[in-house]
Amino acid sequence: MRASKISLGLAAVAAAAFFSGCKPPTGKIARTEALYLAGSQWGDPSTFNPLAESWQPAWPVNDRFNLMYETMVSYNSLTGKVEPGLGTLVSRSNDSVVVDLNPAAKWSDGKPVTSTDVKFVFDLGRRFKEAASGYAVEFIAEIKVASVDNGGIKTERLTFIVDKKQRNNPLAILDLLQAIRIAPSHVFEPLIASAGNKLDSVKKMKIDSAPVVSGPYNLKSYSSEKIVLERRDDYWGNKALHNGEMPAPKYIIHPIFKSNDAFAIGLQQGTIDASMTFIPLIGDQKQFKVGTWLEKEPYYLPGAIPMMIFNVTREPMNDKNFRRAFAAAIDHDKIRKLAVSGYSVDMRPGLVMPTVLEGKFFDSAEAAKHSVAPGIESAKKILAEAGYKAVRKPDGTLDYTTDKAGKKLKTLFITSPTGWSDWEAMVRLAVASLREAGIDVREGFVDASQYWPAKSSGKFDLLMDKPAAVITPSLPWSRFDAVMSSRNWQPSETGSMNQNQGRYNQPGVPSYNAKVDSLLNIIPLTTDSVALRNAYVQLNNIFLDDQPAVPLVYLPEQFYQFSEKTWTNWPTEKNAYGPAQLPWVSAGINTLWKLKLAK
Amino acid sequence: MLKQYPTARFILQRGGWYFITFLVAVTINFFLPRMGTSDPVEIIMGQSAGGLSEEAAHAKKNALLKDFGMAKVDDQGNVIEQKVKSQRKVWDTVTKSDIMVDVYTSEAVRTSSLEQFGAYVKRCLQGDLGTSYIKNKKVSELILDAIPWTLALQLPTIVFGWIVGNLLGALAAYRRGNFDRIFFPVALFVSAVPFFVFGMLLVYVFAIQFPIFPPTGGFDPGMVREFTFEFFASAAYYYVLPFFSIFLILAGGQAIGMRSMGIYELGTDYIKYAKWLGLKEGRVLMYLFRNAMLPQLTGLALSLGTMIGGALITEMIFSYPGLGLAILTAIQNNDYPLIQGCTLLVTVCVLVANFTVDILIGFLDPRVKAGLQMGGN
């Protein structure tokens, strides 16, 4: 009797917990009112606090997603233009970046968005060591506010003064303006004050019930299965930015799936409208009304470069001839076709991508002069000239490699996270050609718990990585910076590095090339287009000469694919009114106002 | 002591052993994840410290260590730091070669695993399982949120699969003939198919080729969890494929085991004797079933105990809400509190299931208790 009472009690507790967090009954949301977007949130939504640590907030309060909390400006990856957000970019110089705050901008509680809110967020790092946006402090010396008259309307003008003594990088300020979400100071200042003027406990709050936001949508409900946003019909931007129109979907729902296959099936059956997940053989999905930016192969626009980073402090990776031989042996075409289903255009030598935005910084004649001839035979030749010998087994397969002194080299491992299927395929294909060329290298698939620490501590021979993986105004500078900058150089035995994890170009040693850092410092300050191109060409040449990393293939920044079963008029190459991004990122958000219901 | 109450003695003694096992398991659960080389702070730093300056990264690391209870703090709550000597290679322009110099960095003083264990036990006794590092949510909340789905999927499938499998197995053993000739190979085949293959097969056939059932999820994506008929109807509809993906395989496996046991028991002396005595068929069958069932019961206990971890693959294929994936991500991220919470749950489940079956077998099989009464353990 007692046992049954206990189990009844337990069941009641479990049921209560199960249904807690639910809003009052709402019934079912009509399919035609909801837009189903997926692929950003993979686990339980943990917090919707815009001040939380960068990796913690759930969609859409993470990344440059501006559905709830908006950024000052947004970046259009299609045109390369900085588009208005809460503010409009007025000018950019080497001394400052100037933005006019839109006087119409309002929080969902009716209060205006003011310079106090902007300063509050950007200055948090100055006030609190533990602020998540603390890194912004190194770029911005001061934010000046002035009142200007914009055609009879009083407007707040914000001037972000470049901190010349620290990073001296106006380009990065543009990045910050389209990445840092503005949060209401009239909500958070009192919270900080009540926490004894400490940020710690405020950062841990969930901010998940009726948050005060400025964006077109607000949080309606969430659980471990999905996040539901509801349209704010009184969003300030409808009138100020979108000719008085409202976004088409009343709800945006992000289902939380547990495998890539679930997305593929969802798109095919039309239960998901758009996603950013890798789906093999996307061409075959056309019959199910699944579309991509380009109608034909490669279907996607390049956005980021997965690459292998050499740990140049280890032998034989400290020998640039070895690195060049390594690069020559990689079969980019095979990787493009087999590892990423052909979703990529042919590679150019170096770190500049063949896009509208970056293309102008590339010089093919120069690149050809400095890059290695691709192919197994070329790799064998470079290896032999540099004194490396491949010792093969009787059946012709590689046994081991010896160095210049005839010493047997240890087998090298390519550290890559296990389960990332496209990366795994790239590594396997690379290993096959490298072994054929005579380099003793093996796949080193490791658990995420080993991959991330190895990355910063430098405990690897070669590392798979995707530096500067998001499209920002500072590309391709940020990619070069992430791979080659020697700022904050730390030895792998004692320190950790958050970029240039291969520890290339160590300052203070004879091989140090001061030119690299000087180019990286000059580019953000260069506005003359000829000088800028020249600087990039020089930097790319050094990259090709020294080969501190091997770019493998181009991948889209986001796998933007959509179903036309419920919603139509998605941006594509032929209907290029918006960037090839999901309608939650940066300028991609404008898609929401253009979507139409399928008939 | 308790000589005159053998049943109570039996239960107490078993219970005591289980309690000791529980304590050992909890200790191992705590220390095992900490024996690896990487800690959660390093994982988060690797993931999110890109582009930070040395100073900012240092501050961030200290904040994490403090949050996770892995750094010693002073009375004001500030992380206590110590100078650490290490060596760095630099180029000496005078000697024209690389030389090693001493450098000093400051690092947070870490709390020892033993100190963390003390804090963990203290918190546990207060009913607090801690807060997940990665998900920033109370472990108890995470578990309570996911466990109803896991239980709802696993418990009925395991229990029904067990009952149906055993009944069919016993029937096959007793009947033999054509029924067995068809049933046995089918059951053998079904039980040999891995869960994930069968699950994917079901999705392919019944959700993609013939879209009768939804392929993924726990209920209609346009709904929220609520106490309405509509919600439960939707959940039931989404339940069908995941249920059968486990149920059929489990029933097949149980049936094979029960059939073999049944055939073995049919050839034993007591059955022959019972038949020779001319007992009714039903009574003989009952004896047979009771004896053949014992090893099957142990199997049931094991399935029930491991169901939470075992749910992972099914939950992934069907994107079904539940605890399986939580355990996997916790382990991948070295999220100590969540690992501990989940393993504690698994430990309790395994022990309770085993204990229950142990007692049950004690009642069903008098030999077990008799052994104890005669002075055995």
Side-chain angles (χ1 to χ4, degrees), chain A residues 100-172:
Chain A
D100 276 355
L101 202 56
N102 197 317
K106 275 196 174 53
W107 296 107
S108 50
D109 61 2
K111 296 208 166 76
V113 179
T114 66
S115 58
T116 316
D117 300 313
V118 181
K119 285 185 76 159
F120 163 72
V121 170
F122 277 91
D123 284 343
L124 270 180
R126 246 178 272 281
R127 290 168 60 193
F128 305 102
K129 213 169 60 179
E130 67 274 24
S133 58
Y135 64 99
V137 172
E138 292 171 38
F139 298 92
I140 302 164
E142 189 192 345
I143 302 171
K144 284 189 177 156
V145 184
S147 182
V148 293
D149 194 308
N150 264 352
I153 301 163
K154 230 176 102 185
T155 305
E156 281 193 295
R157 173 161 289 179
L158 292 145
T159 307
F160 296 81
I161 310 284
V162 176
D163 193 332
K164 303 214 173 210
K165 290 200 190 99
Q166 292 200 61
R167 297 278 186 112
N168 194 15
N169 191 334
L171 203 52

Side-chain angles (χ1 to χ4, degrees), chain A residues 367-393:
Chain A
K369 251 191 272 171
H370 291 268
S371 58
V372 285
I376 302 285
E377 290 313 311
S378 160
K380 280 183 178 166
K381 203 173 138 229
I382 305 170
L383 276 178
E385 281 168 7
Y388 296 93
K389 274 202 183 70
V391 178
R392 293 180 190 273
K393 290 179 192 159

Side-chain angles (χ1 to χ4, degrees), chain A residues 18 22 46 138 225 258 269, chain B residues 53 135 149 207 223 225 320:
Chain A
F18 183 59
C22 290
S46 59
E138 292 171 38
E225 303 93 39
K258 299 177 178 178
Q269 302 199 333
Chain B
S53 71
K135 295 176 189 282
W149 291 99
M223 286 180 160
R225 295 177 187 183
Y320 206 76

Side-chain angles (χ1 to χ4, degrees), chain A residues 206-394:
Chain A
K206 285 188 194 303
I207 318 285
D208 60 354
S209 81
V212 176
V213 299
S214 69
Y217 286 81
N218 207 348
L219 186 66
K220 180 179 166 63
S221 70
Y222 72 97
S223 66
S224 51
E225 303 93 39
K226 65 171 139 314
I227 299 166
V228 182
L229 306 182
E230 188 174 12
R231 185 176 64 200
R232 287 181 52 220
D233 292 353
D234 58 347
Y235 169 55
W236 68 273
N238 287 340
K239 203 168 156 219
L241 302 171
H242 297 278
N243 302 321
E245 279 169 41
M246 281 201 290
K250 185 154 193 260
Y251 300 97
I252 299 182
I253 302 178
H254 187 312
I256 299 162
F257 287 161
K258 299 177 178 178
S259 77
N260 261 2
D261 300 331
F263 294 103
I265 298 170
L267 271 173
Q268 208 180 80
Q269 302 199 333
T271 52
I272 288 179
D273 296 308
S275 82
M276 54 174 276
T277 48
F278 183 88
I279 294 172
L281 301 174
I282 195 80
D284 295 355
Q285 306 280 331
K286 299 265 162 184
Q287 51 173 321
F288 303 108
K289 291 190 166 184
V290 173
T292 43
W293 177 263
L294 302 174
E295 216 165 272
K296 297 202 176 73
E297 253 190 74
Y299 304 110
Y300 302 94
L301 301 179
I305 316 179
M307 54 184 95
M308 285 180 194
I309 312 272
F310 291 103
N311 182 347
V312 303
T313 64
R314 289 191 185 177
E315 275 185 343
M317 281 76 67
N318 56 0
D319 179 356
K320 85 173 179 191
N321 291 317
F322 176 83
R323 301 199 294 265
R324 284 168 69 86
F326 199 102
I330 302 289
D331 189 340
H332 295 286
D333 209 40
K334 214 183 236 174
I335 290 175
R336 187 175 68 82
K337 281 182 186 139
L338 300 176
V340 298
S341 291
Y343 299 162
S344 184
V345 291
D346 281 336
M347 284 207 91
R348 284 172 169 181
L351 291 183
V352 184
M353 279 196 302
T355 55
V356 183
L357 307 172
E358 296 185 27
K360 53 183 180 279
F361 302 127
F362 184 75
D363 185 317
S364 52
E366 281 292 315
K369 251 191 272 171
H370 291 268
S371 58
V372 285
I376 302 285
E377 290 313 311
S378 160
K380 280 183 178 166
K381 203 173 138 229
I382 305 170
L383 276 178
E385 281 168 7
Y388 296 93
K389 274 202 183 70
V391 178
R392 293 180 190 273
K393 290 179 192 159

Side-chain angles (χ1 to χ4, degrees), chain A residues 553-566:
Chain A
V553 74
Y554 302 132
L555 279 184
E557 180 207 2
Q558 300 196 338
F559 278 94
Y560 165 73
Q561 55 246 333
F562 51 85
S563 156
E564 294 201 292
K565 281 204 173 129
T566 309

